[in-house]
Short mmCIF file of all heavy atoms in Angstrom, two decimals:
data_model
loop_
_atom_site.label_atom_id
_atom_site.label_comp_id
_atom_site.label_asym_id
_atom_site.label_seq_id
_atom_site.Cartn_x
_atom_site.Cartn_y
_atom_site.Cartn_z
N LYS A 1 -53.00 319.54 64.00
CA LYS A 1 -54.28 320.22 63.89
C LYS A 1 -54.97 319.69 62.61
O LYS A 1 -55.27 320.45 61.69
CB LYS A 1 -54.11 321.73 63.82
CG LYS A 1 -53.46 322.31 65.09
CD LYS A 1 -53.19 323.82 64.91
CE LYS A 1 -52.49 324.37 66.16
NZ LYS A 1 -52.19 325.82 66.01
N PRO A 2 -55.26 318.41 62.60
CA PRO A 2 -55.72 317.77 61.34
C PRO A 2 -57.12 318.15 60.94
O PRO A 2 -57.99 318.31 61.79
CB PRO A 2 -55.61 316.27 61.67
CG PRO A 2 -55.87 316.20 63.13
CD PRO A 2 -55.18 317.42 63.70
N GLU A 3 -57.32 318.28 59.63
CA GLU A 3 -58.66 318.40 59.08
C GLU A 3 -59.24 317.00 58.91
O GLU A 3 -60.40 316.76 59.15
CB GLU A 3 -58.59 319.15 57.76
CG GLU A 3 -59.91 319.34 57.06
CD GLU A 3 -59.77 320.14 55.79
OE1 GLU A 3 -59.00 321.12 55.75
OE2 GLU A 3 -60.43 319.76 54.79
N ARG A 4 -58.41 316.08 58.44
CA ARG A 4 -58.74 314.66 58.33
C ARG A 4 -57.46 313.90 58.12
O ARG A 4 -56.40 314.48 57.82
CB ARG A 4 -59.68 314.42 57.14
CG ARG A 4 -59.03 314.72 55.77
CD ARG A 4 -59.83 314.08 54.66
NE ARG A 4 -59.38 314.43 53.32
CZ ARG A 4 -58.34 313.85 52.71
NH1 ARG A 4 -57.65 312.92 53.29
NH2 ARG A 4 -58.01 314.26 51.47
N PRO A 5 -57.46 312.56 58.31
CA PRO A 5 -56.25 311.79 58.03
C PRO A 5 -55.88 311.85 56.53
O PRO A 5 -56.75 312.03 55.70
CB PRO A 5 -56.65 310.36 58.42
CG PRO A 5 -57.79 310.53 59.37
CD PRO A 5 -58.53 311.74 58.90
N VAL A 6 -54.59 311.75 56.24
CA VAL A 6 -54.15 311.71 54.86
C VAL A 6 -53.74 310.28 54.51
O VAL A 6 -53.41 309.48 55.36
CB VAL A 6 -52.98 312.68 54.60
CG1 VAL A 6 -53.42 314.10 54.73
CG2 VAL A 6 -51.80 312.40 55.50
N VAL A 7 -53.74 310.00 53.22
CA VAL A 7 -53.39 308.68 52.68
C VAL A 7 -52.33 308.84 51.63
O VAL A 7 -52.46 309.64 50.70
CB VAL A 7 -54.63 307.99 52.04
CG1 VAL A 7 -54.23 306.63 51.43
CG2 VAL A 7 -55.73 307.79 53.07
N MET A 8 -51.24 308.08 51.76
CA MET A 8 -50.16 308.10 50.78
C MET A 8 -49.86 306.68 50.31
O MET A 8 -50.07 305.73 51.07
CB MET A 8 -48.89 308.72 51.38
CG MET A 8 -48.99 310.17 51.71
SD MET A 8 -47.49 310.74 52.60
CE MET A 8 -46.20 310.08 51.56
N ILE A 9 -49.36 306.55 49.10
CA ILE A 9 -48.88 305.28 48.57
C ILE A 9 -47.46 305.50 48.11
O ILE A 9 -47.16 306.39 47.29
CB ILE A 9 -49.75 304.78 47.40
CG1 ILE A 9 -51.18 304.55 47.89
CG2 ILE A 9 -49.16 303.51 46.82
CD1 ILE A 9 -52.12 304.10 46.79
N ASP A 10 -46.52 304.72 48.67
CA ASP A 10 -45.10 304.93 48.38
C ASP A 10 -44.42 303.57 48.17
O ASP A 10 -45.01 302.53 48.43
CB ASP A 10 -44.44 305.65 49.58
CG ASP A 10 -43.16 306.39 49.18
OD1 ASP A 10 -42.72 306.22 48.03
OD2 ASP A 10 -42.65 307.15 50.00
N GLU A 11 -43.20 303.61 47.65
CA GLU A 11 -42.41 302.38 47.41
C GLU A 11 -43.20 301.38 46.55
O GLU A 11 -43.41 300.24 46.90
CB GLU A 11 -41.97 301.78 48.72
CG GLU A 11 -41.06 302.68 49.53
CD GLU A 11 -40.50 302.10 50.79
OE1 GLU A 11 -41.19 301.26 51.42
OE2 GLU A 11 -39.39 302.45 51.17
N VAL A 12 -43.64 301.89 45.43
CA VAL A 12 -44.41 301.09 44.45
C VAL A 12 -43.48 300.20 43.63
O VAL A 12 -42.36 300.63 43.27
CB VAL A 12 -45.20 302.06 43.51
CG1 VAL A 12 -45.86 301.30 42.40
CG2 VAL A 12 -46.22 302.84 44.33
N PRO A 13 -43.85 298.96 43.34
CA PRO A 13 -43.03 298.10 42.50
C PRO A 13 -43.14 298.49 41.02
O PRO A 13 -43.79 297.81 40.23
CB PRO A 13 -43.62 296.69 42.77
CG PRO A 13 -45.05 296.95 43.06
CD PRO A 13 -45.05 298.25 43.82
N TRP A 14 -42.45 299.57 40.67
CA TRP A 14 -42.59 300.14 39.34
C TRP A 14 -42.18 299.15 38.25
O TRP A 14 -42.67 299.25 37.12
CB TRP A 14 -41.77 301.43 39.23
CG TRP A 14 -42.35 302.53 40.05
CD1 TRP A 14 -41.88 303.02 41.22
CD2 TRP A 14 -43.56 303.27 39.78
NE1 TRP A 14 -42.68 304.05 41.70
CE2 TRP A 14 -43.72 304.21 40.84
CE3 TRP A 14 -44.50 303.25 38.73
CZ2 TRP A 14 -44.81 305.10 40.87
CZ3 TRP A 14 -45.57 304.13 38.77
CH2 TRP A 14 -45.71 305.04 39.83
N ASN A 15 -41.29 298.26 38.56
CA ASN A 15 -40.84 297.30 37.55
C ASN A 15 -42.00 296.47 37.00
O ASN A 15 -41.95 295.97 35.89
CB ASN A 15 -39.79 296.38 38.14
CG ASN A 15 -40.31 295.60 39.34
OD1 ASN A 15 -40.58 296.21 40.38
ND2 ASN A 15 -40.46 294.31 39.21
N GLU A 16 -43.05 296.30 37.79
CA GLU A 16 -44.18 295.49 37.34
C GLU A 16 -45.09 296.24 36.36
O GLU A 16 -45.96 295.65 35.73
CB GLU A 16 -45.01 295.05 38.55
CG GLU A 16 -44.25 294.13 39.50
CD GLU A 16 -45.08 293.56 40.61
OE1 GLU A 16 -46.29 293.98 40.75
OE2 GLU A 16 -44.60 292.72 41.35
N PHE A 17 -44.88 297.57 36.23
CA PHE A 17 -45.71 298.34 35.33
C PHE A 17 -44.96 298.87 34.11
O PHE A 17 -45.42 299.75 33.41
CB PHE A 17 -46.33 299.54 36.08
CG PHE A 17 -47.09 299.15 37.31
CD1 PHE A 17 -46.95 299.88 38.50
CD2 PHE A 17 -47.90 298.07 37.30
CE1 PHE A 17 -47.65 299.51 39.64
CE2 PHE A 17 -48.64 297.69 38.43
CZ PHE A 17 -48.48 298.43 39.59
N ARG A 18 -43.76 298.33 33.87
CA ARG A 18 -42.93 298.87 32.84
C ARG A 18 -43.54 298.75 31.44
O ARG A 18 -43.16 299.53 30.53
CB ARG A 18 -41.56 298.17 32.85
CG ARG A 18 -41.60 296.78 32.26
CD ARG A 18 -40.20 296.26 32.04
NE ARG A 18 -39.79 295.49 33.18
CZ ARG A 18 -38.53 295.25 33.46
NH1 ARG A 18 -37.60 295.77 32.73
NH2 ARG A 18 -38.20 294.51 34.47
N ASP A 19 -44.47 297.84 31.24
CA ASP A 19 -45.06 297.66 29.90
C ASP A 19 -46.18 298.67 29.63
O ASP A 19 -46.69 298.72 28.51
CB ASP A 19 -45.59 296.24 29.76
CG ASP A 19 -44.48 295.20 29.71
OD1 ASP A 19 -43.36 295.59 29.26
OD2 ASP A 19 -44.71 294.04 30.08
N HIS A 20 -46.55 299.44 30.65
CA HIS A 20 -47.56 300.47 30.43
C HIS A 20 -46.97 301.56 29.52
O HIS A 20 -45.89 302.08 29.78
CB HIS A 20 -48.01 301.08 31.74
CG HIS A 20 -48.98 300.20 32.48
ND1 HIS A 20 -50.32 300.43 32.53
CD2 HIS A 20 -48.77 299.07 33.23
CE1 HIS A 20 -50.90 299.47 33.26
NE2 HIS A 20 -49.98 298.67 33.71
N GLU A 21 -47.68 301.92 28.48
CA GLU A 21 -47.19 302.88 27.52
C GLU A 21 -46.85 304.19 28.20
O GLU A 21 -45.88 304.87 27.79
CB GLU A 21 -48.26 303.09 26.44
CG GLU A 21 -47.72 303.67 25.17
CD GLU A 21 -46.74 302.77 24.48
OE1 GLU A 21 -46.91 301.55 24.50
OE2 GLU A 21 -45.79 303.31 23.86
N GLU A 22 -47.60 304.55 29.22
CA GLU A 22 -47.42 305.84 29.90
C GLU A 22 -46.06 305.91 30.64
O GLU A 22 -45.60 307.00 30.95
CB GLU A 22 -48.55 306.06 30.91
CG GLU A 22 -49.91 306.07 30.35
CD GLU A 22 -50.96 305.72 31.38
OE1 GLU A 22 -51.29 306.61 32.17
OE2 GLU A 22 -51.40 304.57 31.45
N LEU A 23 -45.45 304.74 30.89
CA LEU A 23 -44.22 304.74 31.67
C LEU A 23 -42.98 304.45 30.82
O LEU A 23 -41.87 304.44 31.34
CB LEU A 23 -44.30 303.70 32.81
CG LEU A 23 -45.28 304.03 33.94
CD1 LEU A 23 -45.39 302.85 34.90
CD2 LEU A 23 -44.83 305.28 34.70
N LYS A 24 -43.14 304.19 29.55
CA LYS A 24 -42.02 303.87 28.71
C LYS A 24 -41.17 305.09 28.40
O LYS A 24 -41.67 306.11 27.92
CB LYS A 24 -42.49 303.24 27.39
CG LYS A 24 -43.06 301.83 27.58
CD LYS A 24 -43.47 301.21 26.25
CE LYS A 24 -44.02 299.80 26.46
NZ LYS A 24 -44.47 299.17 25.18
N LEU A 25 -39.88 305.02 28.74
CA LEU A 25 -38.98 306.16 28.54
C LEU A 25 -38.64 306.30 27.05
O LEU A 25 -38.37 305.35 26.35
CB LEU A 25 -37.71 305.96 29.36
CG LEU A 25 -37.92 305.88 30.89
CD1 LEU A 25 -36.58 305.72 31.58
CD2 LEU A 25 -38.66 307.12 31.41
#
């Protein structure tokens, strides 16, 4: 009983963003 289609983004190559300050552990 959809209101509209949904959009998801999954299985992201996180290793490529490791230098982003927001992701540094």
Side-chain angles (χ1 to χ4, degrees):
K1 299 176 182 178
E3 180 177 319
R4 65 163 173 82
V6 292
V7 177
M8 293 172 50
I9 299 178
D10 203 352
E11 298 184 328
V12 172
W14 291 106
N15 59 293
E16 296 186 354
F17 304 137
R18 77 168 93 201
D19 291 333
H20 283 257
E21 199 64 35
E22 301 157 80
L23 291 173
K24 290 182 179 179
L25 298 182

